[in-house]
Amino acid sequence: MEKAKVYFTKEISGEGLIKLYRKLNTNLSGRIAVKLHSGEEGNQNYMKPEFVKPMMDAIGGVVVECNTAYEGARNTTEKHKELLEKHGWSKYFEVDILDSEEDMTLENKSGEVIQKNFVGAKMKDYDAMIVLSHFKGHPMGGFGGAIKNISIGLASSAGKRYIHTGGKENASYEDMFQVDHNLFLKSMADAAKTITDFYQGKIVYLNAMVNMSVDCDCCAVAEDPCMKDIGLLASTDPVALDQACIDLVYNAEDKGKDHLIERIESRNGLLTIESAEKQNVGTRNYELIVIDEEEK
């Protein structure tokens, strides 16, 4: 398989995001959804709206999110909207909770664990999507990046429980912690395939390697970052993008990487990338293109 192109810059800014997006040369048009993590209440590490604003001003689009499957400030539409306003997202952008009305079902007949995925029905209102992910650790997945953002991130509240339980219908919150862990990891890959099939190339991915804690932005009480910021990356291939981020962590000279690597490996996080490649979500074979060097 041909190498996927992954673009990288050390310029961690809204302007850096714009440069990366333009390098992808995809020219997304129509109504564009921008999927990001708006941050759980109490979390200190999520990307702030001011960081995203220059890109949103230049490209346009609607910030989209989905309700969670656990107790907190984002498990109902009403509470979620309140938090979006509190965190400043509604101040700058149009925001939309994709599963605020009903779900729709997407199929992946070749899925290894699950063959369907439940997402917010409002997803069909968008012609294209920009997936902006904060790359960091995760208590269950080991790490969170582009693949997690289009699987668990885009699943509806019920869909999240379905993925977490490896396909249990009408799963409860408690059920999510009683399933073989690897089935959850593989289910994320199966779900990701439904999203890439849905958008048929009209989807791009940007990862921000900043504020890299071992914990996710969904944690109300998260550990502080364990590594120094590395940079921003972009690709049309989510598998290549996440693999590039993983490689940058492993190859970093920052001693704090050991903490993040332990989180990734103890949760078998790389299985998600491997499974996503098997599902033809993308390839782990990539070329890293440093745009800072091109600008010299």
Side-chain angles (χ1 to χ4, degrees):
M1 184 180 288
E2 184 180 351
K3 287 185 178 181
K5 289 182 170 61
V6 178
Y7 297 93
F8 172 81
T9 179
K10 291 183 179 179
E11 183 184 348
I12 301 172
S13 67
E15 289 70 27
L17 288 175
I18 295 171
K19 290 178 184 178
L20 285 175
Y21 173 78
R22 289 176 175 161
K23 278 290 181 182
L24 297 176
N25 198 30
T26 50
N27 297 317
L28 300 182
S29 60
R31 189 164 169 83
I32 300 173
V34 180
K35 174 62 181 76
L36 45 75
H37 200 304
S38 56
E40 184 56 74
E41 187 169 31
N43 187 279
Q44 76 276 29
N45 297 321
Y46 70 95
M47 291 185 292
K48 306 303 188 287
E50 291 78 12
F51 175 67
V52 180
K53 191 174 185 300
M55 184 188 78
M56 295 288 289
D57 289 346
I59 298 167
V62 179
V63 169
V64 301
E65 263 280 34
C66 296
N67 291 323
T68 63
Y70 52 83
E71 290 296 325
R74 299 182 299 130
N75 65 326
T76 70
T77 297
E78 183 179 7
K79 288 195 294 183
H80 205 159
K81 286 182 177 178
E82 289 177 1
L83 189 63
L84 283 164
E85 186 171 352
K86 181 178 179 180
H87 280 180
W89 298 103
S90 304
K91 174 183 176 181
Y92 296 113
F93 319 117
E94 180 183 352
V95 298
D96 194 8
I97 298 175
L98 299 180
D99 61 332
S100 61
E101 297 177 359
E102 58 183 357
D103 292 2
M104 67 177 182
T105 305
L106 303 179
E107 292 188 350
N108 174 8
K109 293 181 179 179
S110 64
E112 185 176 357
V113 179
I114 60 174
Q115 287 76 50
K116 58 185 177 180
N117 183 27
F118 303 105
V119 301
K122 285 187 175 181
M123 202 169 78
K124 66 179 180 292
D125 297 338
Y126 296 90
D127 303 297
M129 179 173 282
I130 297 171
V131 181
L132 176 57
S133 307
H134 176 202
F135 185 89
K136 70 285 179 191
H138 191 276
M140 293 185 71
F143 77 95
I147 298 171
K148 179 180 176 295
N149 206 0
I150 61 171
S151 55
I152 288 291
L154 279 173
S156 66
S157 184
K160 287 175 172 64
R161 292 191 293 272
Y162 191 77
I163 294 170
H164 267 284
T165 57
K168 183 175 181 178
E169 299 280 357
N170 301 313
S172 67
Y173 173 76
E174 290 74 20
D175 290 332
M176 295 195 298
F177 303 94
Q178 299 174 7
V179 68
D180 179 271
H181 185 67
N182 286 346
L183 293 182
F184 158 57
L185 299 175
K186 291 179 179 180
S187 293
M188 282 202 288
D190 294 339
K193 183 67 165 67
T194 71
I195 301 300
T196 56
D197 286 350
F198 181 84
Y199 279 107
Q200 292 291 312
K202 295 179 180 180
I203 183 169
V204 300
Y205 310 87
L206 295 93
N207 280 5
M209 299 187 75
V210 300
N211 296 335
M212 287 181 286
S213 166
V214 297
D215 289 325
C216 180
D217 298 342
C218 58
C219 299
V221 180
E223 284 195 27
D224 288 332
C226 59
M227 290 185 69
K228 294 178 181 178
D229 295 347
I230 291 179
L232 308 176
L233 298 89
S235 182
T236 57
D237 185 320
V239 177
L241 183 60
D242 279 356
Q243 184 64 58
C245 290
I246 290 288
D247 292 341
L248 285 169
V249 169
Y250 274 79
N251 293 328
E253 296 181 359
D254 189 331
K255 292 182 179 180
K257 72 178 184 181
D258 294 342
H259 196 32
L260 183 53
I261 290 172
E262 189 280 331
R263 174 59 58 92
I264 294 168
E265 294 182 349
S266 66
R267 272 62 168 184
N268 200 21
L270 298 183
L271 179 60
T272 302
I273 296 179
E274 295 165 1
S275 297
E277 184 176 47
K278 290 178 182 178
Q279 284 292 311
N280 296 314
V281 176
T283 176
R284 298 169 71 191
N285 189 22
Y286 67 91
E287 174 189 5
L288 188 68
I289 301 168
V290 182
I291 68 172
D292 307 318
E293 295 176 357
E294 292 180 345
E295 294 175 350
K296 290 180 180 178

